Amino acid sequence: MTEHTAPAPGEQPPEPYDPQVVEALGSAARITLAPGPREAREAPAEAPAPDDEWALPEGRAWVYLANPKRGLTRPVIIGDGFNAGPSELDFSWEILERGPFPFISEVRKRGYDVILLGFDERSASILDNAKVVRAAIQEAIAQRTGDHPLTVGGFSMGGLVARYALAKMEHDGGEENDHQTALYFSYDSPHRGASIPVALQSFAHYIRRLNPAFSQQMNSPAARQLLWQHIAEWDDTPETDKARAEFLAELERVGGWPSGPRKIGVANGVRSGEGNGIRPGVRAFHGRGLAITGTHLHTQAAGEDQLVAQLRVVTLRKPRIRTSGLPEIDGAPGGTLEGFGILADELDKIPALIGLGAEADIREHCFVPAVSAIALRDIDTHEKLYGPVTASAEQESELDEFHCASRNEPHTLVTEELCTWLLDRLP
């Protein structure tokens, strides 16, 4: 709910915007949320040339062979995650190879071939991007020497895309849909939903006329399907978007999961129920420049009528955004995203004289709760989010086997702990 006057729901405030601010926001900042270190997000180092490159319908793949003389023999297909625009496979390589653990090198050392899979539009519907996974599976089978089974999965949203693609191939049947996959994996994928704070979503839509990129990302088909709670306008009441309900229904129609492969997953959050230390109901972001002073974004608190945002960009009015009935999800155990930090970083790129300077009091928030990544529980209550994953609870997961990190860490962080566990299970 919001505290404001006059304009109809979804309308922007009526005051005129400063043309200088409009131009600065429109041209200098492209605010979109993505995991990974800031340096890697903005200028990933160039990846080495692949051994082969596949042009796929609505996507592409880079193939790195374990042994170029032997050719493609033991394919491991890795789907890209959520963002806006086409996949940047240089960025995929950087995150997977040049972070804390050289995942690609270790896969190849064990004799497997890495297929980095990208989408022409990462924010497109999961159902559409699943066609890219299907095409990559068919291409891998066509080019493979021998009959070693495939491993197919992905990081973040990529794990959901692969899950649906494999399930649909089994559902549709026929020789062309024989995926020949022995192992499915997901890496911090939001099987039970992901979370972007309502405060950030409301700010994205509030500045849409000045800079549409952030709002477009939040309102994209993939975001509507991934997010547990979504708002389409800055003053909307959070709810499960219709697109998410339709996606879950379609996933259920094709069986929910592939039945042929063994299904495993890892989470960047802990199983103990210990939160990430982010307190509920505290300021996470505020405007410092004259054009944005008065904007405050808060972490999510539980209960009724909780203030999550006060918005002001140039205009005099300062509408307040309040929520009711949501749990303290920003501090939940799980993989974190620097949503508040990315917003402040992008605004601070604009020259100070424009007056859009900002500061992130808290940079991150929980993005994929641990219980979502291991397909164990829904994420709609405090008890479900923070309840420890006991030995008896393990049996309730929809995955055959899973592993949680020993600490709450950044979403899709590639660590030795998680990757070694995953590598030890390759067929």
Side-chain angles (χ1 to χ4, degrees), residues 63-267:
V63 181
Y64 293 93
L65 300 172
N67 184 342
K69 293 182 180 179
R70 192 176 58 193
L72 185 69
T73 57
R74 303 169 83 185
V76 176
I77 297 175
I78 305 172
D80 195 12
F82 172 68
N83 202 336
S87 293
E88 301 173 35
L89 295 183
D90 283 323
F91 177 70
S92 297
W93 174 278
E94 175 123 347
I95 295 301
L96 293 174
E97 182 67 9
R98 297 194 177 103
F101 183 77
F103 183 64
I104 295 175
S105 291
E106 291 299 321
V107 173
R108 297 168 79 191
K109 281 181 183 178
R110 297 190 182 211
Y112 296 89
D113 310 300
V114 173
I115 301 171
L116 293 184
L117 184 61
F119 311 112
D120 287 350
E121 180 49 69
R122 287 170 288 182
S123 67
S125 168
I126 292 171
L127 308 181
D128 291 337
N129 278 333
K131 300 171 187 175
V132 185
V133 176
R134 179 178 181 270
I137 290 171
Q138 292 171 328
E139 187 69 19
I141 292 171
Q143 296 204 22
R144 177 188 54 181
T145 299
D147 58 1
H148 192 89
L150 277 62
T151 295
V152 179
F155 283 65
S156 190
M157 181 191 73
L160 284 182
V161 178
R163 171 184 164 185
Y164 175 75
L166 290 168
K168 188 172 190 302
M169 291 178 79
E170 291 182 355
H171 177 271
D172 292 349
E175 184 178 351
E176 70 278 9
N177 287 309
D178 179 10
H179 55 62
Q180 300 183 35
T181 299
L183 183 71
Y184 160 81
F185 76 92
S186 63
Y187 201 109
D188 214 39
S189 298
H191 293 294
R192 296 296 184 94
S195 175
I196 297 294
V198 173
L200 280 171
Q201 293 187 56
S202 66
F203 185 87
H205 303 318
Y206 195 75
I207 64 168
R208 182 163 56 207
R209 288 187 180 178
L210 303 175
N211 185 304
F214 193 10
S215 177
Q216 288 170 351
Q217 186 190 28
M218 292 300 97
N219 276 345
S220 66
R224 291 174 182 266
Q225 292 168 335
L226 291 171
L227 293 179
W228 166 62
Q229 293 288 286
H230 178 266
I231 58 174
E233 303 290 350
W234 64 271
D235 55 355
D236 276 354
T237 298
E239 62 181 1
T240 299
D241 193 86
K242 179 182 177 182
R244 175 164 177 79
E246 291 174 346
F247 164 66
L248 293 177
E250 171 60 16
L251 189 60
E252 185 66 22
R253 185 187 71 83
V254 299
W257 296 83
S259 60
R262 180 167 176 77
K263 302 177 290 291
I264 66 172
V266 299

Side-chain angles (χ1 to χ4, degrees), residues 103 151-156 158-160 162-163 182-191 257-258 261-271 368-376 389 394 397-405 409 412-413 415 417-426:
F103 183 64
T151 295
V152 179
F155 283 65
S156 190
L160 284 182
R163 171 184 164 185
L183 183 71
Y184 160 81
F185 76 92
S186 63
Y187 201 109
D188 214 39
S189 298
H191 293 294
W257 296 83
R262 180 167 176 77
K263 302 177 290 291
I264 66 172
V266 299
N268 286 115
V270 299
R271 62 181 296 158
V368 177
V371 293
S372 177
I374 62 174
L376 180 66
V389 182
E394 286 185 6
S397 171
E398 295 169 340
L399 295 165
D400 296 317
E401 192 177 11
F402 62 80
H403 187 69
C404 295
E409 57 199 14
T412 65
L413 184 69
T415 67
E417 175 187 21
L418 297 182
C419 291
T420 300
W421 181 89
L422 195 160
L423 288 169
D424 287 345
R425 284 152 181 79
L426 294 179

Side-chain angles (χ1 to χ4, degrees), residues 327-352:
E328 298 170 0
I329 195 168
D330 294 339
T336 60
L337 184 69
E338 289 194 325
F340 298 112
I342 290 171
L343 175 59
D345 291 345
E346 292 300 317
L347 291 176
D348 277 346
K349 291 177 183 178
I350 299 171

